[in-house]
Amino acid sequence: MPLNAGQEAVSASQARFRVVIAGRRWGKTFLAVREVAKVARYPGKRVFLVYPTYRQAKQVIWDPLKYRLQDLGWIKKTNESDLTIILKNGSKISLRGADNPDSLRGVSLDMAVFDEFAMIDEKAWTEVIRPTLADRQGTALFITTPLGTTNWAYDLYQRGRDPNEHQWESFQYTTIEGGNVSAEEIEQARRDLDARTFR
């Protein structure tokens, strides 16, 4: 599947830390799978995909990730109980839930993806994951649906818009910009939902 214009922009960014605020069904999961594969294609890499809960990680991305890597012929071993995939080149990709912060500790990472990070405690980033990226100069991708302006997601988004923050870049897209939802469906949602929810 080709990337939409927004996904291409995020993927092409050279920023170490990328923040994406995007509407529902924009293609955040597809982007996450692609970006993880880009890093894990190199031998010996270690990647975490972090979700608000372990169950959510399994429901949202486990199958798309697993099937994509199977299609590429990259998988050496899959651990269904630990939600970890070991690739033939020695790279390891693990899904984790921020509801169990201890499961995030004790590793060195080349990349961390935070999905729906607006719903994750900021300490999972600042106190746990950020230090794991230090020795390998790892990268991070933060993706979420909008959740107002009084949370750390908004703060990170603003950081990526600051021209003095050279390691950060932020992106914002609507549902319709993803190309996965028709204009008719968007218009129906506008009629079905209150204005705040629709925005």
Side-chain angles (χ1 to χ4, degrees):
M1 273 176 58
L3 297 174
N4 65 41
Q7 291 166 332
E8 284 183 2
V10 175
S11 186
S13 171
Q14 296 299 305
R16 183 177 178 195
F17 305 115
R18 296 169 292 166
V19 181
V20 180
I21 310 292
R24 304 280 300 268
R25 314 311 310 152
W26 175 80
K28 296 182 294 295
T29 299
F30 181 73
L31 175 64
V33 169
R34 289 280 300 250
E35 293 304 291
V36 165
K38 274 176 49 179
V39 171
R41 68 184 173 182
Y42 297 105
K45 298 298 182 182
R46 185 71 197 261
V47 178
F48 271 10
L49 290 111
V50 182
Y51 281 75
T53 68
Y54 191 70
R55 180 176 179 171
Q56 188 176 8
K58 185 168 187 175
Q59 288 177 332
V60 173
I61 202 167
W62 179 242
D63 286 341
L65 176 66
K66 187 171 52 173
Y67 297 146
R68 176 66 181 142
L69 296 174
Q70 284 173 345
D71 288 346
L72 292 169
W74 291 6
I75 295 179
K76 176 181 179 181
K77 182 180 178 182
T78 302
N79 185 328
E80 294 282 343
S81 61
D82 189 49
L83 299 185
T84 294
I85 299 170
I86 300 173
L87 304 184
K88 292 175 182 176
N89 68 2
S91 289
K92 188 183 285 190
I93 302 166
S94 300
L95 276 60
R96 295 293 181 255
D99 53 339
N100 180 9
D102 289 337
S103 72
L104 308 174
R105 297 181 186 277
V107 296
S108 292
L109 297 176
D110 296 285
M111 182 184 198
V113 176
F114 281 83
D115 199 342
E116 294 300 352
F117 78 98
M119 299 175 210
I120 295 174
D121 188 325
E122 182 179 6
K123 291 179 182 177
W125 163 244
T126 58
E127 295 181 12
V128 182
I129 293 294
R130 179 61 181 92
T132 70
L133 301 171
D135 57 335
R136 296 189 184 205
Q137 289 293 291
T139 63
L141 174 62
F142 301 87
I143 52 182
T144 191
T145 48
L147 196 65
T149 60
T150 57
N151 57 65
W152 74 292
Y154 179 78
D155 296 340
L156 282 194
Y157 176 78
Q158 292 302 325
R159 188 170 183 185
R161 292 175 46 104
D162 183 341
N164 297 315
E165 287 282 1
H166 303 295
Q167 291 195 9
W168 290 80
E169 188 170 4
S170 291
F171 305 84
Q172 183 176 18
Y173 301 103
T174 64
T175 295
I176 203 159
E177 289 173 311
N180 298 315
V181 179
S182 70
E184 294 80 16
E185 182 64 22
I186 297 290
E187 189 53 40
Q188 184 62 52
R190 185 189 312 273
R191 291 192 299 271
D192 293 344
L193 303 171
D194 65 79
R196 182 182 176 280
T197 303
F198 177 79
R199 279 195 313 275

